[in-house]
Amino acid sequence: MEQRKSYKEKQKNKNLFAKCLDGIEMIGNKLPHPVTLFGLFCIGIMIISAIAQAMGLQSTGELINRATNELELQTIKAVSLLSRDGIVYMLENAVSNFVNFAPLGMVLVGMLGIGVAEGSGYISALLKKTVAITPAKLVTPMVVFLGVMSNIASDAGYVVLVPLGALIFMSFGRHPLAGLAAGFAGVSGGFSANLIMGTIDPMLGGISTEAARMIDPTYTVQPTANIFFMMASTFLIMFLGWFITDKIVEPRLGSYDNNSKMSKEDDNLRNLNDKEKKALKMANATLIGLILLIAICVIPENGILRNAETKSIIDHSPLMNGFVPLMAICFFIPAVVYGKVAGVFKNEKDVCAQLGSAMSSMGGYIALSFVAAQFISYFSYTNLGTILAIEGANLLQSIGLNTITLMIAFVLFTGFINLFMGSASAKWAIMAPVFLPMFMKLGISPELTQVAYRIGDSTTNIISPLMSYFAMIVVFAQRHDKKAGIGTIISTMIPYTVFFLIGWIILLGIWMALGLPLGPDAFMHYSM
């Protein structure tokens, strides 16, 4: 009775927002296992697509023809998965959908290095060192900031920063799911923010250029078009993520019973013994050597890790395209050095055994990736996401709004569409030809439209099960809480989505009111 009364008192003292999050988590976690859930999603999209095709659902809009890279007026029709062609598609593409599922290869290759680093004790030693030199009050902003900055390497932050965020928090005696949430918020919720250009900038700029030339054949949206706004956004996301994690997310998660493997190995997480110190120094020296070697391959204008034609470090360069294997190497080699010096690895057989152990721990993720890959592929094949985007654009176009209100509405619309279409570039390829010309006619620059799109695209990533890496985040969470499910992740991340949206919209409004440039020669207004 006393325990029940205590629980009721706790519930009574919670505010409405916290109770809503608890309700979302409870309902979400009562759903079937994520593998089963995505399987049901697949069945659901089959039925919906068949009904949509039978009803003749279609939409017409100007879209980029991927074959010719030109804008064309296209009529997009719903395609049934329960037709002969649909059934053949599902059978013939089941393997390729799985094999080509973008997160799968990145995660598994990354784990070859990270798994050995964990098994050798190298990551544990790094965390102990981090705990020793980092003020406890700065742990949260550090994790969020590093998550944001990891976006220069495209999606690598999901593989590295999110699980490391959990371990860093646990090293400080804090709840690992709060650290996971902080890392996830930085990597995914702050996907468009950064202090320097990332791989997404030239990609979006290229699509925007093609769409803008429908109105002005000479117009070019540079990769640096949003850099000033995104630099300011980096600090906004860091401070908002810091506040949300420490004041909302972690208090709601409560205390954590730290019976992890890490704490069993060493109860005093702030100290290293002499052998660990020596091993860490040699491993770090090896890591620095590898980084210098990479730098030698990048800094010269003809460096082998630069784009052979454009000499770019960012745009389609071996450095960016091969970042995950390079990252795996930078974990693997120092980890082997650490393990050998620390006495964890006696010979190469121990290293190979650890590689196998790292892969075996990913069995659940591999199973989940199979069904998630099928669902995302089915959604694309049926054209339902494209139709939703075009019809939504037509609706937004028909509403007469002033510039600031229109941009806010566009941010919210993009955030909603992002719940159903996870790929930033694929979604922009559909939306840019519709919105950019329309807004240019209203005197709004393509650069401003692109900024608004990026805000909406980033903020709802963290609550969308259709986001490619969402399934992986659930698996990472289950390492620390076996009961964690989709409901746990969504309820934990909703505060970030709400505050990031509000904060980013306010920043955009201030930026527009002051008429500040979004990047070099990238302004708010466009004159026909």
Side-chain angles (χ1 to χ4, degrees):
M1 284 293 291
E2 193 62 32
Q3 289 181 343
R4 186 179 300 175
K5 183 178 179 181
S6 175
Y7 173 77
K8 287 182 178 180
E9 285 297 323
K10 289 180 181 178
Q11 289 297 101
K12 186 177 180 180
N13 293 331
K14 286 186 176 181
N15 58 38
L16 181 61
F17 186 54
K19 289 180 179 178
C20 289
L21 294 179
D22 288 346
I24 291 170
E25 179 177 9
M26 181 183 69
I27 294 170
N29 287 344
K30 283 188 176 180
L31 294 173
H33 188 281
V35 173
T36 306
L37 191 62
F38 273 101
L40 293 173
F41 284 166
C42 290
I43 295 172
I45 205 68
M46 293 178 201
I47 296 171
I48 293 171
S49 66
I51 295 172
Q53 186 184 58
M55 293 175 61
L57 184 66
Q58 63 181 40
S59 188
T60 301
E62 287 187 307
L63 304 173
I64 294 177
N65 186 321
R66 293 299 180 91
T68 63
N69 204 32
E70 295 180 354
L71 289 161
E72 298 177 358
L73 188 66
Q74 301 178 35
T75 297
I76 305 298
K77 299 180 179 181
V79 179
S80 173
L81 282 166
L82 295 181
S83 64
R84 182 187 184 280
D85 290 343
I87 292 171
V88 170
Y89 169 81
M90 289 188 287
L91 291 173
E92 290 185 346
N93 290 276
V95 174
S96 60
N97 289 342
F98 177 52
V99 173
N100 296 325
F101 189 50
L104 181 65
M106 289 187 65
V107 172
L108 295 183
V109 172
M111 279 302 296
L112 288 173
I114 296 171
V116 174
E118 285 183 337
S120 69
Y122 181 45
I123 287 181
S124 176
L126 282 174
L127 291 175
K128 293 175 186 177
K129 191 68 175 179
T130 301
V131 171
I133 65 175
T134 304
K137 292 183 178 180
L138 297 182
V139 171
T140 304
M142 178 189 71
V143 170
V144 178
F145 177 76
L146 291 177
V148 173
M149 292 303 296
S150 72
N151 293 322
I152 61 172
S154 188
D155 297 337
Y158 290 102
V159 184
V160 182
L161 256 298
V162 176
L164 280 184
L167 293 176
I168 289 171
F169 267 51
M170 194 161 60
S171 298
F172 278 84
R174 299 176 61 180
H175 203 297
L177 292 189
L180 181 144
F184 188 27
V187 172
S188 194
F191 184 72
S192 287
N194 217 299
L195 296 179
I196 57 178
M197 282 201 313
T199 55
I200 193 68
D201 293 280
M203 190 183 303
L204 295 182
I207 296 171
S208 297
T209 296
E210 294 298 322
R213 287 179 177 176
M214 293 174 61
I215 301 296
D216 185 347
T218 65
Y219 205 97
T220 299
V221 179
Q222 299 293 344
T224 57
N226 301 148
I227 190 65
F228 294 163
F229 185 82
M230 292 307 158
M231 288 171 72
S233 298
T234 300
F235 298 102
L236 173 72
I237 295 301
M238 183 186 74
F239 284 111
L240 286 177
W242 186 0
F243 171 80
I244 297 162
T245 303
D246 288 359
K247 302 300 182 182
I248 299 175
V249 171
E250 193 165 17
R252 177 177 170 269
L253 289 170
S255 59
Y256 179 70
D257 184 16
N258 191 359
N259 290 319
S260 66
K261 179 181 176 181
M262 183 183 298
S263 63
K264 289 179 180 179
E265 289 175 348
D266 190 349
D267 292 331
N268 190 350
L269 292 173
R270 296 182 181 271
N271 294 324
L272 293 167
N273 60 41
D274 292 339
K275 184 180 283 189
E276 287 177 328
K277 289 178 181 178
K278 181 181 178 182
L280 185 59
K281 285 181 180 179
M282 295 188 68
N284 287 343
T286 305
L287 177 61
I288 293 171
L290 289 170
I291 293 172
L292 289 175
L293 180 61
I294 293 172
I296 291 171
C297 296
V298 170
I299 294 173
E301 189 177 356
N302 62 344
I304 64 172
L305 293 182
R306 286 177 177 259
N307 186 307
E309 297 179 0
T310 65
K311 307 303 180 184
S312 171
I313 297 174
I314 299 293
D315 188 17
H316 299 291
S317 68
L319 176 66
M320 291 294 104
N321 293 340
F323 191 88
V324 172
L326 287 172
M327 177 197 71
I329 291 169
C330 287
F331 272 102
F332 178 78
I333 296 178
V336 172
V337 172
Y338 180 91
K340 183 66 176 176
V341 176
V344 178
F345 297 147
K346 304 299 182 184
N347 50 47
E348 48 84 23
K349 293 181 180 179
D350 291 339
V351 177
C352 293
Q354 185 57 49
L355 284 170
S357 177
M359 289 297 98
S360 66
S361 68
M362 299 304 293
Y365 174 67
I366 293 172
L368 185 55
S369 292
F370 179 80
V371 287
Q374 307 309 318
F375 174 64
I376 292 172
S377 175
Y378 293 174
F379 206 82
S380 175
Y381 176 83
T382 59
N383 289 332
L384 294 178
T386 306
I387 292 171
L388 183 64
I390 294 174
E391 289 303 311
N394 293 337
L395 174 64
L396 199 57
Q397 186 175 10
S398 67
I399 302 173
L401 301 171
N402 62 46
T403 302
I404 293 180
T405 308
L406 187 61
M407 287 295 98
I408 293 173
F410 183 55
V411 168
L412 296 176
F413 172 70
T414 302
F416 174 73
I417 293 297
N418 191 49
L419 295 173
F420 304 95
M421 296 183 67
S423 171
S425 58
K427 191 161 61 265
W428 190 227
I430 295 168
M431 296 174 66
V434 178
F435 287 104
L436 271 178
M438 176 181 78
F439 289 159
M440 287 174 75
K441 292 176 183 177
L442 298 175
I444 299 171
S445 72
E447 290 85 356
L448 177 56
T449 304
Q450 184 175 283
V451 158
Y453 167 79
R454 296 178 74 171
I455 293 172
D457 174 67
S458 293
T459 49
T460 55
N461 275 335
I462 47 183
I463 60 171
S464 173
L466 280 175
M467 197 271 290
S468 299
Y469 290 91
F470 194 88
M472 183 187 74
I473 304 302
V474 174
V475 173
F476 284 154
Q478 288 173 342
R479 289 183 177 182
H480 305 286
D481 182 358
K482 293 183 179 180
K483 295 182 180 179
I486 290 176
T488 303
I489 301 303
I490 292 178
S491 64
T492 301
M493 302 312 297
I494 280 178
Y496 295 100
T497 291
V498 172
F499 280 85
F500 284 3
L501 258 177
I502 295 172
W504 235 334
I505 287 173
I506 291 173
L507 178 64
L508 179 63
I510 294 172
W511 211 276
M512 292 176 68
L514 296 176
L516 299 174
L518 298 164
D521 296 320
F523 302 100
M524 298 283 180
H525 303 291
Y526 171 79
S527 298
M528 296 289 289

